[in-house]
Amino acid sequence: MLDILGDRQKQLLELLLKNKSGLTVDELSKGLAITRNAVRQHLAALESDRLIELGPTRPSGGRPQQLYALTEKGGEVFPRRYSWFAQLVIASIAREHGTEGLRERLGEIGVQVAAQLHGQSPAPESREQKVEKLAAVMDQLGYNAKSTAAGKAPVIEADNCVFHELALKNPEICEFDLAMMGAFTGSKVEHQECMARGGNVCRFKFTGKK
């Protein structure tokens, strides 16, 4: 998202990133070398996008000064490279337990995540409802997923593999998705297409009981 913001808004967010407790309009005006009115216009746009929020007020000997601070969403617009660390963890597990051990461990994590998801809301009754609910959860997690039907069997198609870089190097990563989906829906999961293996989407077909 940082790429679609204007230069001034990027600079404003960077100033707030460096000043976690927040900054006043005057401080932002000075830091950006623009007018207070221009600062307020940028603040209004960023607040509308929920990238910043009103922070605490600062005592000033007179009228308290209003601070503006980054929201959690605002902090997330800055690049955070988790993949290199995840790759180290995956490589460490593979060295210690081998490929099958890695697949087993990823499967266990997938089942645990499915249990957590079940605990957050009542589980739907039918398999189709469970798949539809799972697709909605995956979409929120960044998979850009949707549920469809292939004959009598429900299908989930995801346009964005959130583990794509890891999966290219370690195809075993897909075991997490398969285990999580199977445990959440109580179904057998057929991995019909995979972007890490050259597919256009990641497609999962749900058939029968696990």
Side-chain angles (χ1 to χ4, degrees), residues 172-187:
E172 297 81 16
I173 289 292
C174 297
E175 188 63 31
F176 167 83
D177 284 331
L178 295 171
M180 183 268 290
M181 293 177 180
F184 187 90
T185 62
S187 304

Side-chain angles (χ1 to χ4, degrees), residues 95-108:
R95 282 196 304 269
E96 186 172 350
H97 301 288
T99 299
E100 286 305 312
L102 174 60
R103 290 172 59 88
E104 182 178 346
R105 182 64 184 130
L106 290 169
E108 291 171 356

